[in-house]
Amino acid sequence: MPNPLHFEELNTALNAALADVHRAGVPGLFAEVRADGRVWQGAAGVADLDTGEPVTVDMRHRVGSVTKTFTAVAVLQQVESGLIDLDAPVGRYLPDLVPGERGACITVRMLLNHTSGLAEYLPYAYPSLRAFPNAAETSPQSLDDHRFTRFEAAELIALGVDAPAAGAPGGTPGLYSNTNYLLLGALIEHVTGITVDKYLSEHVIERAGLRNTGLPTRPEIAGPHAKGYEAWFGMIDPPRDYSVFDMSWVGPTAALVSTVTDLNRFYRLLLAGELISPASLAQMQRTVPVVSQESKVIDYGLGLYPTRAAGQPTFWGHGGTVWGSGALAVTRADGRRQVAVAVNLQRWNALDSAGRPRPHPIDEALAALYRVAMYG
């Protein structure tokens, strides 16, 4: 395994890599890396293209599907309390939401690791995205149509459950589907008697001591934050700000607002066995093959997935994207290094004549930043 850089050299390399991502086309990004007890923080670019306000490392940010780890932790806490059985059918708890044979065959574990076979609800809630993942046949019109739409979770769940199945329950590779995590939110509410937002706030976020993390109740992001610019594969040019958006379309699957510092703290405590037991963490780290939203087969656990490179240590964490905003947060298995990165541009790759995303300089610049942050 290559020797890691000394911390001073790592600082220099991280600053350069961060600046390269901004130069490649991301309006603004910020990050925190923790290595053997020392902390680097950096920011490059702007939070607002109109005013030129710079991004700062303490800004709050929509972190997308990083939320899934928080929801999975909540479920595992209730498994430990005896109120949820990982391998029980979801129909035992939510017969009205997943009725009949599928309710009897799909287990809680299958929801957590995306092997339920339930379809993604989003193309049915957002008509202009109906053809996704065939991006060339989509349009971003629904993003504007639903900027202030207040969805009910049960309504969205029904869209996913009623849609043609993506596979047989328990089959692999699974298919990454937000329907699974909306159902897990409903499950948490069923067994605890309180809203999933309240449970996550009191038993996950507060328990972890996170000061700047929460599920929004309004379309606006409270506190200092960057705008989020969505390009939708080059169809929105110039990219449009969607930082003001009603996040009920994702709820406990991807609505979380956080900071890079809070994300690193959360994953540090999780991997140290301080939010759930070591036995529960081991369950989270049992992976199966799953087809991601980028149509790649990845290893996926229970709201957690590994990042591996040849000859390098394994990192655990999650990435996320919502309209205009993205994040990645990973922690090395031994806890000695952590990386959290937030960017305020999404779907920057225009499509080629075959409808495939074209390579963009941002892709390699971000990959280089991640390599330095994790392995440098």
Side-chain angles (χ1 to χ4, degrees), residues 289-315:
V290 168
V291 178
S292 73
Q293 289 183 321
E294 293 76 32
S295 299
K296 298 177 182 178
V297 177
I298 63 172
D299 292 327
Y300 197 93
L302 308 185
L304 198 65
Y305 61 80
T307 299
R308 300 185 178 101
Q312 298 287 0
T314 297
F315 283 70

Side-chain angles (χ1 to χ4, degrees), residues 12-26 29 40 43-45 365 369:
T12 300
L14 285 168
N15 286 325
L18 201 75
D20 286 346
V21 178
H22 172 52
R23 279 193 291 269
V26 172
L29 71 159
W40 169 88
L369 172 61

Side-chain angles (χ1 to χ4, degrees), residues 227-244:
K227 290 187 172 181
Y229 295 100
E230 178 63 49
W232 195 256
F233 305 104
M235 298 180 204
I236 307 176
D237 188 18
R240 190 173 303 139
D241 169 34
Y242 287 103
S243 57
V244 177

Side-chain angles (χ1 to χ4, degrees), residues 33 40 79 161 174 183 212 221:
V33 175
W40 169 88
V79 171
V161 171
L183 276 164
N212 292 291
I221 301 173

Side-chain angles (χ1 to χ4, degrees), residues 247-312:
M247 298 303 290
S248 60
W249 66 281
V250 281
T253 79
L256 201 71
V257 172
S258 190
T259 64
V260 290
T261 296
D262 271 8
L263 292 182
N264 276 339
R265 178 177 175 84
F266 170 73
Y267 281 104
R268 183 166 66 253
L269 294 175
L270 173 59
L271 292 189
E274 296 189 32
L275 300 179
I276 53 175
S277 71
S280 292
L281 178 61
Q283 293 286 342
M284 291 185 76
Q285 293 176 316
R286 288 176 54 184
T287 64
V288 294
V290 168
V291 178
S292 73
Q293 289 183 321
E294 293 76 32
S295 299
K296 298 177 182 178
V297 177
I298 63 172
D299 292 327
Y300 197 93
L302 308 185
L304 198 65
Y305 61 80
T307 299
R308 300 185 178 101
Q312 298 287 0

Side-chain angles (χ1 to χ4, degrees), residues 88-328:
V90 68
R92 175 188 298 178
Y93 306 102
L94 303 171
D96 294 338
L97 293 179
V98 192
E101 184 178 351
R102 280 205 291 180
C105 294
I106 294 170
T107 66
V108 175
R109 186 188 300 273
M110 292 173 195
L111 298 177
L112 285 160
N113 67 14
H114 296 293
T115 60
S116 70
L118 292 172
E120 171 62 55
Y121 66 81
L122 184 58
Y124 300 92
Y126 280 49
S128 73
L129 307 187
R130 183 61 58 90
F132 196 82
N134 181 5
E137 299 299 321
T138 67
S139 91
Q141 182 60 48
S142 291
L143 279 64
D144 293 309
D145 293 343
H146 290 303
R147 185 186 285 265
F148 298 107
T149 300
R150 192 69 186 170
F151 287 104
E152 294 297 329
E155 169 190 6
L156 297 174
I157 290 168
L159 294 175
V161 171
D162 293 343
T172 57
L175 182 70
Y176 189 98
S177 171
N178 286 299
T179 305
N180 294 316
Y181 276 73
L182 282 188
L183 276 164
L184 291 168
L187 175 60
I188 291 165
E189 293 184 346
H190 174 74
V191 301
T192 66
I194 61 175
T195 67
V196 63
D197 290 14
K198 183 176 176 63
Y199 185 91
L200 290 173
S201 295
E202 294 181 353
H203 298 278
V204 182
I205 294 168
E206 291 179 15
R207 180 170 174 178
L210 308 184
R211 298 176 179 273
N212 292 291
T213 298
L215 290 159
T217 58
R218 298 173 52 83
E220 298 81 12
I221 301 173
H225 62 276
K227 290 187 172 181
Y229 295 100
E230 178 63 49
W232 195 256
F233 305 104
M235 298 180 204
I236 307 176
D237 188 18
R240 190 173 303 139
D241 169 34
Y242 287 103
S243 57
V244 177
F245 210 96
D246 188 303
M247 298 303 290
S248 60
W249 66 281
V250 281
T253 79
L256 201 71
V257 172
S258 190
T259 64
V260 290
T261 296
D262 271 8
L263 292 182
N264 276 339
R265 178 177 175 84
F266 170 73
Y267 281 104
R268 183 166 66 253
L269 294 175
L270 173 59
L271 292 189
E274 296 189 32
L275 300 179
I276 53 175
S277 71
S280 292
L281 178 61
Q283 293 286 342
M284 291 185 76
Q285 293 176 316
R286 288 176 54 184
T287 64
V288 294
V290 168
V291 178
S292 73
Q293 289 183 321
E294 293 76 32
S295 299
K296 298 177 182 178
V297 177
I298 63 172
D299 292 327
Y300 197 93
L302 308 185
L304 198 65
Y305 61 80
T307 299
R308 300 185 178 101
Q312 298 287 0
T314 297
F315 283 70
W316 290 91
H318 214 292
T321 173
V322 288
W323 314 135
S325 299
L328 176 71

